[in-house]
């Protein structure tokens, strides 16, 4: 139990940092100010979990009860801001980091980790037999922070446009709901999260895209 | 009671399908991908009810407890996608359907049905004497899904611009709060929902518009 | 206790009116219709408190239990609409009111009042020792209505762009969490709210701005 809790804790920490970085990157791209950068980082990192807890009726949400995760997200945003500021002055090889690729990887890690954690929260709350609800809550936890981030950044949520994203979370959450009946919970979570990350990154690399269906060829009014 | 529950069930099913179609149509107009189309359909169909349940403290929201309504919404979205795909290949009379008119009618049906159901939920939760709260929850249930749909589609909610929409829900909910004291609950709900649909469609047909008040003639910065 | 409740009541009323006016002004600037103007006024006035109550698990939110605050917000919006309509016909000195300045002052008053009230709600809910949570809930209560207003108006929330806004609320809420241990609760609330208003208005007047950090000079795709 001790080891299991520690693994959960480490996974959540990694997910929090990666989502916070993703949020800070979007904020900088949108040229928000320092405060907006911290807010988008925090929202992306803990927003999905807040929505999950509100929907499951577990209030106040966990993130408000322990300042650790929000502090971690804010610290990650602070580091990103420092990196961005220092980067302009440093003409070394790191200046050529592809931030688009970095953002994609961070996003995929956060998606996998939070989707499985969300599904696990549904299990803990007593809904382990309802695969439908587990999948829904998992996907919501994984992509809810990103959706809130995009709403605050005044753009259509990436998850509704960038193809195999939530679909990866759906696949991984279903895999987790199967695995957790056969192997140890923590191993099931790690494997399922890994599957989500893999599906997401492979789909980006191979440019898999879900088709867009349009009703008409008229321009939108 | 059996008949009453069945009527509620049928009304909710009709409302779910019509709102899901409305959401799918917006998603296709905005050229979201297949997943985005399903999400907007589901959000429009069950989003108002989720917000209502969260505000009334009834968690997890009803829609997460029975997969029926979400499944129905997703199925309706699937059918709309099939229709849209097949439509390009079929040169028959149906190709001339006016989708704008179809969307307006679907939206009006969903508005009427969900507004009255939302008000009825407030009654069931013990707020039957608070006409103010009943009206508010009713309008929120009726238009909340559409507002979430428009936020996700990155546009100003139609309900804040398209005139006699929420106002129709207000009129119908007030009518329901009066009717339910004099005739049978289900009859009151059907009549009130019908009034909302009628007010909405007549206002669209006759181009009734609420005035826009502007503070100044300067362009916005 | 009687006096304390009355002071809370008066503060909340002032905050409700000022936020409602702020919301109505944004709605008119965005050329929403009459209903949209009332909705944005109400959302700005009571939205922060609704989000706070949902997060603290106090449902239904207080604003739905007593129609007073919503009625007050709608009445304030009605007055603003009347003023806007009459203003076009009246060529007197009042026609030269600077509405931008009016909006800034209204917003600052609402921010200060609601941030402190939100922090106080966290105290009442038993989280008086958790300064982190108090600050978070306070800032959320103060700026949540404005964020919802901006989301509905389809624009990036002003709070993420306009510098010393939420930061003023953070400073004031921290000040309140210190003050309330040394002087009377209501005096602490008034002083802290006053500090927030002062910091906000001075920062606007002196054009203090938080820096914007950008990752690259490439145009966003």
């Amino acid at each position: 139990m001790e080891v299991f809790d520690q693994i959960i804790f480490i996974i959540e920490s990694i997910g929090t940092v990666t989502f916070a970085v993703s949020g800070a990157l979007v904020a900088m791209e949108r040229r928000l100010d320092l405060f907006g950068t911290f807010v988008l980082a925090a929202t992306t990192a803990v927003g999905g979990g807040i929505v999950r807890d509100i929907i499951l009726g577990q209030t106040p949400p966990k993130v408000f009860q322990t300042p650790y995760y929000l502090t971690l997200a804010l610290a990650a945003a602070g580091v990103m801001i420092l990196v961005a500021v220092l980067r302009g002055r440093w003409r070394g090889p790191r200046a050529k980091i592809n931030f688009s690729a970095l953002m994609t990887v961070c996003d995929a890690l956060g998606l996998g980790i939070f989707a499985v954690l969300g599904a696990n929260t549904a299990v803990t709350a007593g809904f382990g037999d309802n695969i439908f609800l587990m999948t829904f809550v998992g996907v919501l936890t994984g992509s809810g922070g990103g959706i809130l981030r995009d709403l605050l950044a005044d753009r259509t949520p990436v998850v509704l446009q960038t193809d195999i994203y939530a679909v990866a979370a759906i696949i991984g959450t279903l895999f987790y709901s199967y695995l957790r009946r056969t192997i140890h919970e923590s191993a099931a979570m790690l494997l399922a999260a890994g599957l989500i990350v893999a599906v997401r990154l492979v789909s980006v690399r191979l440019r898999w895209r879900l088709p867009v269906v349009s009703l008409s060829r008229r321009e939108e009014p």
Side-chain angles (χ1 to χ4, degrees), chain A:
Chain A
M1 193 59 184
E2 187 63 25
V3 173
F4 180 72
D5 287 351
Q6 284 178 0
I7 291 174
I8 294 265
F9 176 76
I10 292 170
I11 293 175
E12 273 193 287
S13 298
I14 293 173
T16 300
V17 169
T18 51
F19 263 41
V21 168
S22 156
L25 288 169
V26 170
M28 290 176 192
E29 275 190 7
R30 303 297 265 194
R31 307 193 73 82
L32 299 183
D33 67 18
L34 277 187
F35 179 75
T37 303
F38 281 113
V39 167
L40 249 68
T43 301
T44 313
V46 304
I50 289 175
V51 174
R52 175 199 64 208
D53 290 346
I54 288 175
I55 281 176
L56 291 176
Q58 300 180 336
T59 52
K62 193 172 64 169
V63 71
F64 292 105
Q65 291 167 1
T66 56
Y68 170 71
Y69 296 105
L70 259 175
T71 307
L72 192 63
L74 297 177
V79 170
M80 283 309 295
I81 289 168
L82 278 181
V83 168
V85 169
L86 296 177
R87 188 170 157 269
R89 303 180 183 176
W90 184 14
R91 297 295 174 214
R94 276 177 192 277
K96 285 172 186 164
I97 285 174
N98 186 331
F99 280 98
S100 173
L102 178 64
M103 205 154 91
T104 300
V105 173
C106 287
D107 222 57
L109 282 172
L111 177 69
I113 286 157
F114 282 114
V116 171
L117 277 168
N120 178 260
T121 302
V123 171
T124 307
F127 300 104
D129 291 330
N130 190 339
I131 290 178
F132 188 86
L133 177 62
M134 274 176 62
T135 307
F136 196 95
V137 173
V139 174
L140 195 72
T141 311
S143 60
I147 289 174
L148 289 175
R149 173 199 66 202
D150 292 341
L151 289 180
L152 289 177
D154 195 19
R155 64 181 198 180
T156 304
V158 171
V159 69
L160 304 180
Q161 301 177 310
T162 305
D163 328 284
I164 316 298
Y165 186 89
V167 171
I170 292 172
I171 293 170
T173 315
L174 288 173
F175 185 53
Y176 164 69
S177 72
Y178 166 75
L179 273 186
R180 62 179 284 275
R181 299 188 184 283
T182 55
I183 63 172
H184 188 269
E185 186 82 29
S186 57
M189 289 174 69
L190 285 173
L191 282 173
L195 178 63
I196 293 171
V197 176
V199 170
R200 171 65 186 147
L201 292 183
V202 167
S203 78
V204 169
R205 184 68 183 166
L206 301 185
R207 296 176 186 274
W208 290 345
R209 295 194 158 271
L210 288 175
V212 172
V213 175
S214 179
L215 270 174
S216 70
R217 290 189 185 87
R218 287 171 301 168
E219 265 73 44
E220 206 197 339

